[in-house]
Amino acid sequence: MAIFHLRAALSVPVGFYKDDALQILLARAVRQGAFRLPGEAWPRTEPLPGFALLSLVPALVVEPHWGLLRVMGLLFFWTSLVLTWALTRQFLPAGASACVVLLVGLNPILVLNCGAVMPEIPFMALSLALLKASSQQTSGRRLAILAVGTGLATLLRPEGLALAVSLGLWIWLSEGTRKLSRL
């Protein structure tokens, strides 16, 4: 399946989606201390700055060979598949978990975008990582990691706010249930 994803990522040139070029330009702008396109007087409010911050170092390393940024999207996509496996194994038998991973891994929208320089795939990986982390026993350190992760999620995609509220509610409800069960 990895070869399939690699071929799919290579089939769509970086810059094919207008957002690719926009994200690369914003990552370069952040390096220079601003979040605006060349020629703009004011900082941008759309898209969110999280992906530009996340891709700051990779963009610096590969410049001007922007096609190498596909590796970042592929790594996040493959991380999402591993996290999907880990998360579903908590609730499903191995065969059913493998089917879920296969469905995610062959989803045409995800496969088409796995090499794109856009925040959707990293947001998916971060969301799955946060869901996995929240499904385990929470400690002070784990709560700090979840807080930082949800903060980054809100900077990557607008849906990060819904993820932050959902995770907060889940932790609040599960901690309350644990406290009640100790009585």
Side-chain angles (χ1 to χ4, degrees):
M1 191 168 5
I3 292 172
F4 173 68
H5 295 143
L6 183 60
R7 290 200 56 178
L10 291 173
S11 70
V12 179
V14 171
F16 179 76
Y17 302 112
K18 292 177 186 165
D19 288 352
D20 280 357
L22 176 66
Q23 294 294 344
I24 291 169
L25 286 170
L26 289 173
R28 292 178 69 195
V30 167
R31 182 177 68 207
Q32 297 167 357
F35 189 67
R36 62 177 181 252
L37 293 175
E40 288 184 339
W42 304 103
R44 295 195 57 98
T45 57
E46 171 63 27
L48 295 171
F51 189 72
L53 292 170
L54 184 66
S55 58
L56 175 70
V57 173
L60 178 65
V61 170
V62 303
E63 186 176 355
H65 306 288
W66 305 118
L68 294 174
L69 286 175
R70 290 183 186 122
V71 172
M72 189 171 72
L74 281 167
L75 290 175
F76 279 114
F77 186 62
W78 293 333
T79 300
S80 297
L81 293 177
V82 170
L83 288 167
T84 299
W85 171 261
L87 194 58
T88 57
R89 281 299 294 137
Q90 293 178 338
F91 307 105
L92 300 171
S97 291
C99 287
V100 171
V101 171
L102 187 64
L103 285 172
V104 172
L106 296 178
N107 180 310
I109 300 298
L110 296 175
V111 169
L112 252 175
N113 290 311
C114 69
V117 185
M118 295 189 295
E120 285 77 10
I121 301 293
F123 179 75
M124 180 175 71
L126 179 60
S127 299
L128 289 166
L130 291 170
L131 289 171
K132 176 73 174 126
S134 71
S135 69
Q136 300 166 353
Q137 184 71 28
T138 54
S139 63
R141 182 172 167 235
R142 186 173 306 278
L143 287 175
I145 291 170
L146 285 170
V148 169
T150 54
L152 181 58
T154 60
L155 290 174
L156 278 174
R157 295 285 307 147
E159 297 85 1
L161 181 61
L163 177 66
V165 170
S166 300
L167 286 173
L169 184 61
W170 166 252
I171 291 168
W172 179 64
L173 289 173
S174 63
E175 288 298 313
T177 305
R178 285 190 196 115
K179 287 178 184 173
L180 286 175
S181 66
R182 286 186 224 143
L183 294 176

